[in-house]
Structures are given as C-alpha cells and as structure tokens.
Amino acid sequence: MEDWRRIDIDALEPENHLSKQDLEPDLPPVSHDEITSIAQKVKQSLSLGQFLPALQTALDTPPYVSDQKTKNLHTETVFEVLASIKNNHNINEFPTFVSQLSSDQQDTLIKYIYKIMSTNYGAKHGALLLSWFEKTVDVTGMGPVVRFYSDRRTV
C-alpha cells in the first residue's frame, strides 16, 4: 500500500458495483409520440400568448425514461418556451413565472437549464440561461440545484 489514494475500491468489492441499469429510475417509459404531442400543446399555448401554462406543461412531463432523441426534442421545447418568455417579457418578470411553478416544476426547470447549457444552441444563448438560473435561484434558493446534482432522474 504505497499510495493509498489510488486504491480501486470497486475491485475490492465487485458485488457492490452499480450497473447502468441499476441507476435508471423506476418510472414508466415516455414515448416519442407523447413528447411530440406535448410539444404541439406547448407551441399552441405560446402562439396564444399563454406563457405560464406553456412552461408548466413542458415541465410537468419530463421524459426521464426515454431515448436520447425524445429527450432532445423535449429539451428543445423547454428552450423554446424560455426564449419566448424572454422575448415577450422583461427579465425582471422571470421570478413571477418561477414563483407560480410547483417545487417539482422548479426542480425540473433547473435540470433543463443545466441540460440546455451543455448544448450548442444553449452556448449561444448563455445570457438567457444564466438570467433564468439567477432568477430561479433567487426565488427557490439552492435547493433545486442540490437536488439536481443528487437526482438520478436525468432529462
């Protein structure tokens, strides 16, 4: 034991190693058709100027158990809602939107903000995402951020 910092703990206890399947949440799968239908409802709400219902609809049904194509479609839908709200409202109104969301929706919003930041289109709109992040944390505190880092359900 020359360098105790380089011990491979998993090699010592292989039966305690978690597989990718063990990390998947025990939730029903969401189909691509369901997410496409939700995206259409969200776009219809946005076209009618109903921004809060569009945001709530998008955040109510995240596809936790789904293929990557479906998750990407829903991520783009959430981004479209956030961008539409920004284009039609003042940044100072963001806390009003966030405060009207349930705590689960606020947690999901933080998950999507982080997810969108990791995309190419999210990198181009970093100021928008940081504004949403700032206003969300102002309303909710750091709780959703901590839950984002500890939750196995990924968007």
Side-chain angles (χ1 to χ4, degrees), residues 55 59 74-75 78-79 82 94 98 101 105-119 121-123 125-137 140 144-145 148 155:
L55 182 61
L59 297 176
H74 198 67
T75 301
V78 172
F79 175 72
L82 297 178
F94 288 2
V98 174
L101 299 174
Q105 291 169 335
Q106 292 169 346
D107 291 352
T108 306
L109 177 60
I110 288 291
K111 289 178 185 181
Y112 274 109
I113 289 171
Y114 273 108
K115 170 99 181 220
I116 296 167
M117 283 183 188
S118 69
T119 64
Y121 57 89
H125 299 283
L128 166 69
L129 297 172
L130 289 174
S131 296
W132 271 106
F133 182 82
E134 175 191 13
K135 301 304 181 185
T136 301
V137 170
T140 63
V145 176
F148 162 74
V155 291

Side-chain angles (χ1 to χ4, degrees), residues 25-88:
D26 188 24
L27 297 169
V30 179
S31 71
H32 188 75
D33 294 336
E34 290 176 66
I35 295 301
T36 303
S37 151
I38 290 168
Q40 290 172 347
K41 289 178 188 174
V42 167
K43 289 178 183 178
Q44 183 179 18
S45 293
L46 289 176
S47 68
L48 296 173
Q50 300 171 340
F51 298 103
L52 181 63
L55 182 61
Q56 290 171 330
T57 301
L59 297 176
D60 276 339
T61 53
Y64 289 124
V65 181
S66 189
D67 62 344
Q68 197 58 44
K69 181 180 175 184
T70 304
K71 287 184 175 191
N72 290 342
L73 173 64
H74 198 67
T75 301
E76 291 169 8
T77 302
V78 172
F79 175 72
E80 185 178 338
V81 173
L82 297 178
S84 295
I85 291 172
K86 195 263 183 208
N87 291 337
N88 292 289

Side-chain angles (χ1 to χ4, degrees), residues 110-111 114 133 142-152:
I110 288 291
K111 289 178 185 181
Y114 273 108
F133 182 82
M142 292 301 289
V145 176
V146 172
R147 286 187 288 278
F148 162 74
Y149 281 115
S150 63
D151 196 353
R152 292 187 303 168

